[in-house]
Amino acid sequence: MTAVTTDADLAEAPATDDGGRRGVRRFGTIALAAAVVVGLLLGYAGGLLTPTLARPGENSVEAGFARDMTTHHAQAVAMGLMAFQQGQDPEVRQIGGDIATGQQGEIGTMQTWLRLWKLDPTGDQPPMAWMSDGAGLVKDGLMPGMATPDEMKRLRAAQGREFDLLFLQLMIRHHLGGVHMIQGVLDEGHDKDVLLVAQTMKNTQQKDLTNLQAALKRLGG
């Protein structure tokens, strides 16, 4: 969410004669911020529908997935907001906005699960401990597909076509890692409601991957 507020100084920028594009982008950023908030609230509401009669435990696959995927999604939301704000290509901006709003809503759902299960947002297990082959998937403390701090720094500094290509490349890798994690809970989890949401997440990310790869090909990346 903090990525949205960094555009406050954009609202104070002087008007230009570029047909109002700066004003349109500012309005779009405000609209996206509102959409992210709505997505989060809807995610919380969706999470409340999960029955609590048989709650997953502290070290369950479901709890580990909810905690780790929240962290994984948070980076995707940050990258998506950057794409919406900094992207040069209209499709890149649209994809970024869609990912930010969609995954923020899913964060709300997963955090609601943890509260309903009477579990803390973070546990004492290392990342990916809930997945049978999870330990080997963690690289330099990062879960599958996640961008490194240096890559995030490069993305923030990039502009124009360079930004668009780097965003697409990083997000494709991020989604591939996310799909692998989702498949882990589908294979090893037991909670029917969690499995239903996870399958929806997987379908969405696979559709995103198709669009991301097509955009990267179109831009010559």
Side-chain angles (χ1 to χ4, degrees):
M1 295 297 290
T2 54
V4 177
T5 59
T6 55
D7 261 47
D9 54 348
L10 184 60
E12 300 174 1
T16 66
D17 58 357
D18 62 356
R21 283 177 293 177
R22 182 172 299 180
V24 170
R25 182 68 63 83
R26 180 173 66 250
F27 176 79
T29 300
I30 294 171
L32 179 64
V36 167
V37 172
V38 170
L40 182 61
L41 294 174
L42 290 174
Y44 283 135
L48 290 171
L49 299 178
T50 303
T52 60
L53 295 178
R55 300 187 182 106
E58 174 65 28
N59 295 323
S60 65
V61 169
E62 288 83 359
F65 170 76
R67 287 163 171 159
D68 283 354
M69 191 55 80
T70 290
T71 300
H72 202 273
H73 270 25
Q75 187 181 72
V77 170
M79 293 167 67
L81 288 172
M82 277 191 273
F84 184 80
Q85 294 165 352
Q86 298 172 227
Q88 174 177 278
D89 183 77
E91 185 181 9
V92 167
R93 294 198 299 272
Q94 181 66 50
I95 290 173
D98 289 346
I99 288 173
T101 54
Q103 296 211 3
Q104 190 67 40
E106 291 171 356
I107 287 173
T109 296
M110 293 184 288
Q111 289 300 297
T112 299
W113 288 343
L114 292 170
R115 284 198 298 275
L116 291 174
W117 299 337
K118 308 300 183 184
L119 301 177
D120 291 333
T122 57
D124 57 7
Q125 296 293 313
M128 302 298 297
W130 56 274
M131 197 169 165
S132 57
D133 63 343
L137 299 174
V138 178
K139 306 296 183 183
D140 298 322
L142 297 173
M143 287 176 282
M146 290 187 70
T148 67
D150 283 346
E151 288 171 333
M152 292 296 287
K153 183 178 179 180
R154 282 176 52 208
L155 187 63
R156 283 190 291 269
Q159 297 180 358
R161 182 174 180 272
E162 177 189 1
F163 175 91
D164 292 345
L165 294 177
L166 182 57
F167 166 76
L168 292 170
Q169 291 161 353
L170 292 178
M171 190 58 78
I172 286 170
R173 191 182 75 196
H174 197 279
H175 266 28
L176 287 171
V179 168
H180 189 71
M181 292 171 65
I182 294 167
Q183 190 60 51
V185 77
L186 290 173
D187 290 341
E188 303 179 34
H190 302 286
D191 186 282
K192 291 189 297 182
D193 296 278
V194 172
L195 296 179
L196 180 62
V197 172
Q199 184 63 58
T200 300
M201 286 185 187
K202 182 181 177 181
N203 295 344
T204 299
Q205 291 201 28
Q206 288 178 326
K207 181 178 179 180
D208 287 345
L209 277 167
T210 298
N211 295 333
L212 289 161
Q213 291 164 341
L216 183 62
K217 182 178 181 180
R218 176 174 57 81
L219 293 175

